[in-house]
Every structure is written in C-alpha cells, then in structure tokens.
Amino acid sequence: MAKPGDALLFSVVRRDVRPWLLLLNAAVATTAGLLLPTALAGAVDMALGGTFVLVTVLWLLLLAATEIIGDAIGIVLAASITARATAWLRKRLSRHLLALGHPPRFAAGDSVSRLTGDCGNAGSVVVTVMSLIIAAVSSVGSVVALALLDWRLAAVFAVSVPLAMLLVRSHMQLTADDVLAYQEVSGEISARLVDAVAGRHTIAAAGIADRESGRVLQPLPRLAAAGGGMWRTQAKMMWRAGLLLPAVELAVLVAAGFGILQGRLSTGDVLAALGYTALGMGIVGQIPQLTALERTRASATRIAEVLDTPPAPRPTPQPSDGSIELRNVSINGVLHDVSLTIPEGAFAAVVGSSGAGKSTLAAVLGGLSAVDDGDIARDGQVGYAFERPALLGTTIGRSIGYGTDADEIQVRDAAVAAQVHDALIRLPQGYETPLSDAPLSGGEAQRIGLARAIVRDPQVLVLDDATASLDTVTEAKVDKALTTALPGRTRVVVTHRPATAARADVVVWLENGRVRGTGTHAELWDDEDYRAVFTGGE
Amino acid sequence: MRFYLSTLAGHRRGVLILLGWSMLEGVPAFFSGKLVGTAVDKGFAAGNPLAGVLWLLAFAALAVVGALGQRQVFARLGDVVEPMRDALVTRIVKGVLNDPTHRRTPDASAVAMITRHVEVVRDATAGVLVQARALLVTTIAALIGLATTAAALIWLVVLPIVAALVLFGLMLPSLAKRQRDAVMADERTAEASGAVLTGLRDVAACDASDEAYEDIATQINQQASATITVAWANSLRATVIAIGGFAPIVLLVAFAPPLVASGQLTEGATLAAVVYLTNSVNPALHGLARTTSTVVMRLMVALKRLQEAAPQTRTEVGEEVPSNGEFALRDVTFGWSPDAEPVLRGLSLDLRPGDHLAVVGPSGIGKSTMASLLTGLMPPDNGRVLFGGAPVDLVAPTIRHHAIALIPQETYLFTGTVRENLTLLAPWVTDEDLTEAVKKVGATALLNRLGGLDAALGHAGEGLSAGEAQLLALARVYVTSASVVILDEATSHLDPAAEARVERAFAEREGILVVIAHRLSSALRANRVLVMDGGKPLLGTHENLLKTSPLYGQLMLAWDPTHHEETPLPKR
C-alpha cells in the first residue's frame, strides 16, 4: 500500500548516483561471496591432493580480496549515501518549517523529532532496501549453489527455512509481556523522579533527600525482576536459535556425507556445503530489516506531512500615513473585531488580564501573525522584543545582530541602550561568548532581546511585556534610553505595570479578545474592572 | 567510568559464574572441526556411512551442550546486568536529589534522557559481556582444537590473527575519537534545530529565516561529514579484521599440500582446521569488531552523560547548636555570581518569635533568595545569617530541618496516600493532629472530596488543582513542630480569601512567620515589611514605609489606588 512518504523516498533514491554505485559494488562483492565457498572447496581439495596449484590459490585470494575490498567500499558508500540523504532531507525540512513561520503549525518538540529522528530513518532507505536485496540474492544464490553441488543438499536446506521463520515470530511473542512490564516500571520510576525534582525545594529545605531517593527507587526490585525475566526469555530464545543452525548444518552434512560416499561430492565440497548453509541462513537475520523498512516509510510520511503543508498567505499591509490602523481584525478564538488607530510616534500601552489576547494583538500590529479577517495599514520596519525572548545565533553578539548585517559598533550601541552592555562585557568571552555557554538571567535575556529590536532601527517598536523581569529602576532607565536611541518612533508596549500604562499616550484595554476601552490611564482608572487588571482582582 | 567498573567488579561472582557457563558454550567450537573431519575421514570417505553419521550425531550432541551453555549464560546475564543497573539508577537519583546547587535541575525531558542512557548502559554492558566473552571463549577453544589436529600449521593461523587484533587495538583510540565527534555533531544538530524551532516567533520577528537556516544547515553538514569520517574508520577496521580472519585460511591451504603428501596431515585434519577457522574464529572476530565500534562507544557516551546529570553528592555538615529560636541578619549581601549585581545588599534584620515579616517586590527580583538564606541552603556572600547565635548554614542539620520549615511555590506531592503526603516532615503525628491542621488551613472540604487520609494520590498531585496541592503542602508544614515557617509564594494559587485564612492560621501558630508575598495584601497582615527592588532593601512597618518610601507607595498604588490617600490599618 502506497504511503504519502513513498514519493519522497523515491526522490531521495533518485537524487544521487551513489545508490547505483552501491548496487554495482554489492553485485560484485556478493558474487565474490557466493563463489568463495566453491573456491575454498577447490583449494581444500587441492591441498588434500598433495600438490600446490597456483591458479587455485590465486583464484581463492582474488575472490577473498574482492569481497573484503567490496565490503570496505560498501561501508563508506552506505554511510555516505545515508548521511547525504539525511542531510538533504533535514535541510529541506528545516527550510520548509522556517517558511511556515509563526505561529508554528507543528509543535517545536514534534518538529525537532521529525528533523533529527525521522530524517535519519528516512535517509537510511537506500541502505535498508539494499541490504534486503543483498540478503535475498545471497540466500537464493546459496540455494542455487547447493543445488549445483547436489540437488539433495538444496532440498534439505529448503526444509529448514520455514523453521527459521517460525522461530523469529515466536521470539516476538515471548518477550512482549516482560518488555511491557519493564517499560511500565521504568516509567513509574521516571515519574517518581519527576515528582521529586518538582519538589526539590521542599526536599532540600527539609534535608530529606536520602529518604525521598528511597521513595523514588521503591519500584526498583520490580524493575530488576522484569529485567531478569527478559534475560531468561532471551535465554530460551538463544537456546532455540543456537540449535537451529547446527540442526540445519547436521542435515546438510549428513546429506553431503552420503554424497562423498557415492562419489558425487569431494571432501572440499563438504566445506562448500557448510559455507552455503551459513550464507543461506543469513536471510533470517534480515527479518528485522523489514520492520526497519516500515519505520522508514512511516518517518518519510511524517516528513512529507510537513513538506505538503503550504505556508499561510501573508498579505502585505496597506500603506499608511505613518500611523498603524486595524479595521475589524479577527483571529479565530483570540481576537474579535478589533479596530483601532495608533498615530505615528505615539506610545501605546496594551493592557488586560492574562488570556485577553494582548500578545496576539501585538503580533498582529507588527505583522508577525496572519489574520483571519480584517485589514491592517502600517508603514516601515517593525522591531519586536518579548517577555521571554528566544535568543538565537552563534554568539551573544550575533544574537543581537540576528538576521541583520549590523557591525560590532551597532551591536554594542544597541546593548548600551538596552542597559545590558555592562553585563555582557563581564561574560567569559564578552560579545564573542557562545550563546550556549552564557549564563543569562531572565532580565539579561530580556535586555538582549531589547537590544536586538533596537539594532534594527525600526519605525515601529513592539515590546511584548519585554521589561517584566526588570526592577522599576532599570525599567525606567531602559525607557529613557529607548527614547534617546529611537526618538519619535511609534511604540506599542504590552504591560502589566500601572506605572508603564500611566506613561503611555494611549492605553488599549483588552478583555476576552475585544477592545474593552481606549484612552489614557487616568481616564480608564476610574473603572473598577480596569483597576482589577493590575491588582489581580482583590 | 570508574564508578561503572567498580560496580561491575562488585559483581565479580556473577561475572565468574557467567564465564564458567561460557566454557560449556565453547565446547562445540573446541570439537566441531575435529568431529566433522573425523566423520569424513573414518566414515563417509572410508566407505562407512554409519560411522560418519554417528560422528555427525556426536557433533549435534555437542551443539546441544553448547546451546545449553549459551542459555545459561543469558539466564545469568540478568544477575550481573540488573544489579549493575540498580546501582546506577540509585546513584543517579541520589545525585539529582542531593545536588545542592540545583543549577542544572533536570526537567521531565532530562529525566527521560537519563532513563534512555541507563537503558543504553544496561544493553551495552550485556552486549559487551556476550560478545567479548564469546570471542574469547570461541577463539581460544577453536585454536586449541586446531592445535590438537593440525599442530604443524598452528603458527600460520595464530600470527595473522594476533597481528590483526594488535592493529585493531592500535586503531581503537582514533576510532573512539571519531565516534565521539559524530555523537557531539549529532547533539549540536539537535540543539541548533531545537533552538530555532522553539524560537520560530523570534526568527519571524527578526526576519531572519536565512540566518536561522544557515545555522542549522552548518550543523547538519558537519554532522553528515562526521558520520562519513566514522565510516572511513569503520571500513579500515573491517578490512583489518577481515584480512586477519581470512589470511590463515589461505596460508593453510597454500602450505598444506607438502604436509598432506608426506602424510604429516590427514584429510580429516585439514578439513577440521578449515572448519575451525570458517565456522568459529571468523564469526567471533567479526562480532568483536562490531561490538567495540558501536556498543562500547554508546556505552562510553551514555556513562559520560549520566555522570554530568548526577554530580557527586554532598553531605550536609554543621554541628552548631542554636541557643534560642531567634534570627539575626547582619549586613547580609548575596548575589548569584561574583560579577552579577547582588540581589540583596547590606540587609540587617532581627526576627523574634511572634514576628510576622512580609517580603514584597517585583517578580523576578530574587525574593526567594531570602528563603534560601534563612533555611541555610546558601550562605551569604557577605555578612552573617545567625539562628540562635550560630550561622544558620552551620547549625546541625537535624536541628535546623526540624526548626525551620519552608513551603515553596512548587508543591511536592508524590504517589501514595494523603496521610503519607501530609506526614512527610513529621511521620510521628496522629490523625487527630492532621485533621486539625487540615481544618486550620481550610482544606477540610478538599480532604473529604479526596476520601480522607487513606485516599491515594497519583503522580504530581494528579487530579488536584494547583491551589489544592498548595493547601496540602501548607497543612503538611502546619502540623510540624517547626518554630520558623517561611511561605515562599506558597499561596500563589489560592484565592485571596483562602490566602488570608492560611496566613492568619500560621500567624496564630507560635514562632516566626516569613511570607514572601505573591500579593501585596500579604504586607497588610504582617507586622513588618521588607521591600526588595534591586537597590538597598527597605525595612519597616506598612505605615512607616508608606510615609518614607515612594517606591512602596507606588507598589501599593498599583495594588489598590483607593488606599492612596488614607492609609489602611494592618489587619492582624
């Protein structure tokens, strides 16, 4: 049954000539491998004959060398094909996820798992299919070779294959229960550890870490019991698997023995028969590869699901006279019929209790989110700063200049304006400190986020609660520096602080996704509901 | 790594038993070539099929014995691997819960990662025990077997194998390094894509999808080339082992003819030698090469990650005995790092039994620092925090933990009965006391809804609202004999009326109450207020602060502007 990801897998196979090289290489190596037992038989017969025949030994050497070199090339080629295919899929996927943009259509954790896990699985398609083909060809070739030696040998071998299949199936049934129990207990311990970690302050303050460790570890004996059960099950399985090959070997050897007796086979042919038996059984080990192929297809389908999602159309805002104007803007379930105008150069505050739609409105004002309904008119570039900025880029300096070609001086000036320069020069490598090595507090991250908005020198600055972690003194400094660094720009500030709202030219008060009121802070303050926004309702 | 090895050594007996059974497993390898050779020599080639079949049946019987040995090996594997895993898990859990810094506190996904790594260690240990052991037993058994049948040729066989193994050993360090690089590249790819994909909003806001793509693509490309580099090393390793395995066979057939001609080597012995090499030695060699390159590397990486997740545990020290139940803070300064701006600067404060202090200030300013200082979890950078005249972090742990109780914002509830959860800090209290404490904090209705003290709670207080979980945590501390109680935003999820009830209940209890306030109304109920706003801390009564501190006035105004003109009286 075709899956949506199959087309993607085909394009992975087709985009490169290497799979064909791998196939060619495999054909040569497998042929050598299939000829090897016969050559070995010939060489042993030669040795038993008591005369050294150079051609026989050279032929053996040539085949062995071909197989060994072929295997070596195969390892590199297979890794290269998988690595390139995986990288190609990952780049395509990340390109598309970035094009889908904000708000994200797929949860971040889900996207990362598609990018790291699924792309890796799908990238291995060529190698998975190839190893199945090689195993099948080897097995069929072995049976043919056995038949060429003596048809009886092939017949004896053919009986053993269904036995092997049966064994693999019963293994899966046997372990299922123990594995389930093991996973359950393991999950239980994890859940207990998560509980205890969440309560770490209580545990640390009460000095009961050891006692609580014991509580977390309580199910451990059950885990050990389930684990022991798994090993015992595997022991049963190994016992049967360990018997299977000798049983088949015994059957083939007896048949070969009678072959010698009746002069059909030479002593060396016994070795050849043993070699082909082992080679022919190789297909049994490939059964898990069928599961791997299914997993590959499922992963490809998950990637295709993302690639087939078209980016939402993002209408460019209509030009305006410098002001920002929203007319009857709605976003399903979040904003309802919002109309408002913010004059050029004005300082507008957006307030409301949590869940009122403040951040969504801020995103709409700057064009970050697409709207379902309504029109927006706006001019010029927008700079955004957030309460919890995701800092991106390789170094601290790059995280400020992210997405721009700002030079060191511009970055530094922006950091000074955002009151974070002093903190950054105290980092281990200053502005060159890798982002992952920089211990940043919430307040520092916020101010770097501010600097990132300032460095773009935008016409409109949207601050989505971007100073929430700063104390009132620092916030006032930032406020003043912003006015100096970016004079006369329109500023939209989402805030929880009455003092900030009081400084604004106009306050937009949101409630359940609608504009409940607009005006100055002083005008709105008379309303008890408005005051409740700041006091939490008491 | 050292811990891992010492744990394994601790189960020496299990390992020895395992090796004992391995001997049995090696039996077929020891006899296989000889029996097949004899079956041909004395049976089929000599025109005696019955003897040939009998010798082959002996071969089958030995295979059964070997399989039995293998079965025992796997059954015993659990005796080594499972206790080792238990020890590992125990150490990690203790390490995580005892970590004094809590700087790298694992979240749910980190716990999941720990679980995965533990499983890797378990599987890899089993894999190493199976493969390395099998190689050892099989190779030695086969070589001894070979020596007894074709002694004249033994050096032709041993030398190439030893040479291959030595070469392989020399290649291991560089192989390990490349593997590690590949694993690191893998992690960096996950990190880079994770950062961008969780920050899509910011990428869009910065109009930076090109730079974001470049950052991810760089890591993806590096990861791909690291993988290919590993493959080159693996390919070289496979070649060395393959040559080492095959060379003896070629040498054997090349040097055998004169020996056979002179009668030094029988037909059966030659056959036996080749069977030993192809059926036993070669598969074992390939198994070893596979195991070391993949399993051992995974094992090393997982062990390293686990070590980072669980630092060495620190035992609490301190023997001071406080002379009374009073706190004295003298010129206390505290910052998160030497470079960082201090959270507290020059705070002096006395707290006596009966005192009720509220700590107020903007969120994120570090009010919880007060809780850490008073409980002795962190010593101040400068100045002294004295409890009963002794530095609180040096007071004997048992005394300190009984005298000072903290209720943090995040509630600790675990799976167990309600009673177990409520008696966490005072296992000795009676049901009557518990019921009384539950009543005092206003959680009687909750207790009845849950089904009484014997009701069971799920993970993370499943089925309870955040506020209900906080009520249980409050009752848990109320019932203790602690003379100092610190509520660190412990009532943040309660409604104002419930919060007031809780604070009054604790204020009526004897001793010191410190409330790190979530709402400013908490300040009205306290008899002293500490204002933290980044600068020098302000301390005073509510009325006093209203008169002297503009900041406090501002904060109060924000809370309730109707009280701007006339000062409300603290209600207690």
Side-chain angles (χ1 to χ4, degrees):
Chain A
M1 207 166 54
K3 282 190 180 177
D6 291 353
L8 184 68
L9 288 178
F10 277 119
S11 63
V12 168
V13 176
R14 274 198 306 266
R15 58 173 287 278
D16 200 355
V17 295
R18 284 185 187 78
W20 299 110
L21 290 178
L22 184 66
L23 189 65
L24 185 69
N25 179 66
V28 174
T30 308
T31 309
L34 278 172
L35 291 174
L36 206 53
T38 313
L40 186 61
V44 170
D45 281 340
M46 173 212 80
L48 296 180
T51 42
F52 180 83
V53 184
L54 185 64
V55 181
T56 311
V57 176
L58 280 184
W59 175 237
L60 179 66
L61 263 180
L62 176 73
L63 286 177
T66 310
E67 196 193 18
I68 290 172
I69 294 171
D71 281 350
I73 294 175
I75 289 175
V76 175
L77 214 49
S80 161
I81 289 169
T82 304
R84 277 164 215 270
T86 304
W88 180 73
L89 283 169
R90 284 180 173 167
K91 285 191 269 193
R92 247 188 99 176
L93 187 65
S94 50
R95 220 345 148 214
H96 196 77
L97 282 167
L98 283 165
L100 288 177
H102 179 79
R105 218 70 67 78
F106 299 89
D110 186 33
S111 303
V112 174
S113 103
R114 287 177 209 243
L115 193 77
T116 53
D118 290 320
C119 285
N121 285 342
S124 67
V125 61
V126 173
V127 174
T128 307
V129 171
M130 202 70 84
S131 62
L132 275 172
I133 293 175
I134 293 172
V137 169
S138 291
S139 284
V140 173
S142 303
V143 176
V144 172
L146 279 177
L148 286 177
L149 280 173
D150 185 352
W151 65 267
R152 294 166 191 82
L153 297 181
V156 166
F157 177 80
V159 175
S160 68
V161 175
L163 271 173
M165 299 296 184
L166 211 68
L167 184 97
V168 172
R169 259 187 43 209
S170 63
H171 170 233
M172 289 179 153
Q173 289 161 0
L174 271 171
T175 44
D177 281 350
D178 281 317
V179 172
L180 194 66
Y182 190 88
Q183 282 171 349
E184 270 172 13
V185 181
S186 176
E188 169 72 15
I189 292 179
S190 294
R192 282 167 181 252
L193 183 57
V194 170
D195 281 355
V197 165
R200 64 193 178 278
H201 292 305
T202 303
I203 292 172
I208 51 175
D210 284 336
R211 182 142 57 86
E212 294 314 292
S213 300
R215 197 191 302 283
V216 171
L217 295 170
Q218 214 174 13
L220 204 54
R222 279 195 290 140
L223 190 68
M230 275 163 76
W231 292 119
R232 278 190 295 280
T233 314
Q234 201 166 357
K236 280 184 214 153
M237 157 72 189
M238 291 308 292
W239 151 254
R240 291 161 63 172
L243 283 182
L244 188 80
L245 185 62
V248 177
E249 279 177 343
L250 178 70
V252 173
L253 279 174
V254 171
F258 281 97
I260 295 178
L261 195 69
Q262 289 158 12
R264 283 195 308 266
L265 297 174
S266 70
T267 308
D269 287 340
V270 175
L271 276 176
L274 268 183
Y276 288 124
T277 304
L279 211 55
M281 296 292 280
I283 188 81
V284 177
Q286 291 294 316
I287 300 288
Q289 290 288 332
L290 284 175
T291 333
L293 188 61
E294 271 314 299
R295 206 179 54 210
T296 302
R297 293 177 72 203
S299 287
T301 302
R302 273 168 59 76
I303 300 166
E305 190 190 344
V306 177
L307 295 180
D308 293 343
T309 307
R314 223 163 268 272
T316 42
Q318 295 159 8
S320 76
D321 52 359
S323 64
I324 306 175
E325 204 178 335
L326 299 190
R327 279 185 297 272
N328 310 102
V329 165
S330 294
I331 292 184
N332 189 23
V334 190
L335 290 182
H336 310 282
D337 205 22
V338 172
S339 297
L340 54 90
T341 306
I342 298 168
E344 183 175 14
F347 177 1
V350 179
V351 303
S353 44
S354 50
K358 300 186 297 292
S359 290
T360 310
L361 180 64
V364 166
L365 283 169
L368 196 55
S369 292
V371 299
D372 293 338
D373 243 327
D375 296 311
I376 304 160
R378 177 171 42 76
D379 261 346
Q381 215 202 343
V382 182
Y384 267 102
F386 304 100
E387 181 192 3
R388 286 198 187 85
L391 298 180
L392 301 159
T394 44
T395 63
I396 288 285
R398 268 323 294 164
S399 77
I400 293 176
Y402 197 59
T404 69
D405 45 13
D407 60 24
E408 264 177 54
I409 296 163
Q410 287 167 311
V411 165
R412 190 168 291 242
D413 288 348
V416 170
Q419 308 291 314
V420 72
H421 173 73
D422 289 344
L424 297 188
I425 54 174
R426 287 185 175 81
L427 289 173
Q429 291 155 261
Y431 282 81
E432 296 303 311
T433 309
L435 205 52
S436 50
D437 296 349
L440 296 173
S441 71
E444 282 162 347
Q446 274 187 0
R447 280 174 281 164
I448 293 174
L450 266 173
R452 188 174 69 184
I454 295 169
V455 84
R456 324 183 99 73
D457 192 16
Q459 282 306 114
V460 179
L461 200 57
V462 180
L463 309 183
D464 185 357
D465 218 2
T467 52
S469 292
L470 310 186
D471 59 84
T472 39
V473 183
T474 312
E475 193 200 18
K477 279 190 201 160
V478 168
D479 202 49
K480 210 167 162 187
L482 274 181
T483 316
T484 320
L486 301 171
R489 309 302 159 83
T490 311
R491 221 191 300 173
V492 179
V493 178
V494 175
T495 185
H496 287 103
R497 292 184 176 178
T500 311
R503 282 200 302 275
D505 300 325
V506 59
V507 176
V508 179
W509 171 21
L510 282 186
E511 197 175 79
N512 297 326
R514 295 173 200 282
V515 178
R516 168 82 187 260
T518 49
T520 65
H521 183 65
E523 287 161 12
L524 294 168
W525 193 250
D526 290 335
D527 192 325
E528 194 184 334
D529 290 350
Y530 181 77
R531 293 198 301 272
V533 169
F534 298 97
T535 58
E538 196 186 356
Chain B
M1 196 69 203
R2 194 176 305 145
F3 161 75
Y4 173 72
L5 290 178
S6 68
T7 311
L8 263 190
H11 295 95
R12 208 177 293 122
R13 198 167 154 270
V15 177
L16 285 178
I17 293 177
L18 209 62
L19 286 177
W21 283 113
S22 302
M23 298 296 177
L24 203 59
E25 196 190 346
V27 166
F30 182 63
F31 287 107
S32 64
K34 199 170 188 158
L35 287 173
V36 173
T38 316
V40 173
D41 241 3
K42 303 217 167 120
F44 299 111
N48 185 353
L50 186 65
V53 172
L54 281 176
W55 281 113
L56 285 180
L57 280 179
F59 165 84
L62 285 184
V64 173
V65 171
L68 263 176
Q70 198 175 30
R71 177 180 183 155
Q72 287 299 330
V73 165
F74 270 87
R76 301 288 160 163
L77 213 49
D79 296 345
V80 177
V81 174
E82 301 298 324
M84 200 265 322
R85 192 265 338 279
D86 284 357
L88 198 62
V89 171
T90 304
R91 192 184 116 108
I92 288 162
V93 167
K94 288 194 169 170
V96 167
L97 293 186
N98 273 305
D99 183 3
T101 60
H102 294 306
R103 286 289 165 82
R104 292 166 301 172
T105 304
D107 55 8
S109 72
V111 169
M113 186 212 75
I114 290 176
T115 313
R116 266 202 315 279
H117 284 323
V118 168
E119 285 314 300
V120 168
V121 172
R122 172 175 178 265
D123 289 348
T125 306
V128 169
L129 281 176
V130 169
Q131 291 286 354
R133 185 195 47 78
L135 168 93
L136 210 71
V137 171
T138 315
T139 313
I140 292 177
L143 287 179
I144 297 175
L146 196 62
T148 58
T149 50
L153 296 173
I154 189 74
W155 292 113
L156 292 179
V157 171
V158 172
L159 284 180
I161 293 177
V162 170
L165 283 178
V166 168
L167 211 56
F168 178 67
L170 291 177
M171 282 158 60
L172 264 187
S174 86
L175 185 64
K177 191 191 165 301
R178 288 170 180 202
Q179 285 270 15
R180 205 164 42 236
D181 290 348
V183 171
M184 300 305 284
D186 228 17
E187 287 188 359
R188 277 198 304 273
T189 306
E191 262 174 35
S193 56
V196 166
L197 292 175
T198 48
L200 275 178
R201 176 199 65 183
D202 295 52
V203 174
C206 292
D207 196 14
S209 47
D210 285 336
E211 181 163 352
Y213 174 74
E214 284 310 319
D215 285 350
I216 300 181
T218 309
Q219 299 303 336
I220 289 176
N221 288 336
Q222 278 177 8
Q223 199 267 338
S225 58
T227 314
I228 297 173
T229 313
V230 170
W232 277 106
N234 274 338
S235 162
L236 193 62
R237 155 192 68 81
T239 309
V240 166
I241 288 292
I243 292 176
F246 201 79
I249 299 175
V250 177
L251 289 173
L252 201 74
V253 292
F255 283 83
L259 294 174
V260 173
S262 68
Q264 277 175 279
L265 206 61
T266 65
E267 196 168 310
T270 315
L271 188 61
V274 179
V275 169
Y276 277 129
L277 288 173
T278 52
N279 276 29
S280 300
V281 178
N282 240 337
L285 276 177
H286 282 101
L288 170 84
R290 255 201 321 275
T291 312
T292 32
S293 61
T294 56
V295 181
V296 173
M297 268 320 296
R298 284 177 62 206
L299 180 67
M300 308 260 280
V301 171
L303 281 174
K304 191 158 180 292
R305 288 276 168 278
L306 286 176
Q307 200 174 16
E308 287 164 3
Q312 282 292 340
T313 54
R314 179 199 69 158
T315 46
E316 291 187 294
V317 291
E319 293 169 345
E320 302 275 345
V321 179
S323 55
N324 55 38
E326 295 180 5
F327 262 109
L329 278 68
R330 294 286 171 265
D331 202 22
V332 169
T333 298
F334 182 87
W336 284 108
S337 75
D339 296 329
E341 187 70 8
V343 176
L344 265 179
R345 202 178 320 184
L347 173 68
S348 293
L349 165 71
D350 285 300
L351 289 170
R352 294 194 182 80
D355 266 347
H356 178 175
L357 174 77
V359 182
V360 301
S363 65
I365 199 71
K367 288 179 302 222
S368 294
T369 307
M370 273 299 284
S372 300
L373 288 172
L374 291 177
T375 50
L377 283 181
M378 291 180 304
D381 296 336
N382 266 310
R384 293 191 297 171
V385 180
L386 302 172
F387 180 59
V392 67
D393 55 311
L394 296 180
V395 169
T398 44
I399 301 177
R400 173 156 50 98
H401 295 315
H402 278 124
I404 308 168
L406 165 75
I407 313 181
Q409 189 174 12
E410 314 85 7
T411 310
Y412 174 41
L413 290 179
F414 49 85
T415 169
T417 62
V418 174
R419 183 184 291 104
E420 282 169 342
N421 271 279
L422 289 181
T423 57
L424 176 74
L425 304 176
W428 54 84
V429 296
T430 61
D431 282 3
E432 287 73 45
D433 290 342
L434 283 183
T435 318
E436 180 63 18
V438 165
K439 191 176 151 199
K440 286 281 187 193
V441 301
T444 306
L446 169 65
L447 186 65
N448 291 338
R449 180 173 77 71
L450 288 174
L453 292 171
D454 288 314
L457 291 182
H459 283 296
E462 184 190 356
L464 294 174
S465 73
E468 289 169 334
Q470 285 188 331
L471 281 179
L472 292 182
L474 288 158
R476 167 194 286 166
V477 168
Y478 190 92
V479 84
T480 65
S481 49
S483 60
V484 181
V485 172
I486 303 159
L487 307 184
D488 185 0
E489 306 208 11
T491 52
S492 58
H493 295 294
L494 301 183
D495 63 55
E499 177 180 66
R501 175 178 186 154
V502 166
E503 285 183 12
R504 260 179 234 122
F506 274 98
E508 282 160 15
R509 221 170 150 274
E510 285 177 11
I512 298 172
L513 176 64
V514 176
V515 179
I516 293 165
H518 177 68
R519 295 190 187 85
L520 280 161
S521 45
S522 295
L524 299 180
R525 288 185 284 266
N527 56 13
R528 258 188 307 167
V529 180
L530 173 68
V531 184
M532 290 175 65
D533 192 32
K536 190 167 165 57
L538 297 165
L539 186 66
T541 63
H542 173 67
E543 300 88 337
N544 209 330
L545 285 169
L546 270 186
K547 282 181 199 134
T548 56
S549 163
L551 173 67
Y552 189 70
Q554 257 179 27
L555 285 169
M556 276 295 150
L557 176 71
W559 171 64
D560 189 352
T562 54
H563 289 148
H564 184 42
E565 302 297 328
E566 53 197 290
T567 309
L569 289 172
K571 297 169 242 168
R572 276 210 65 191

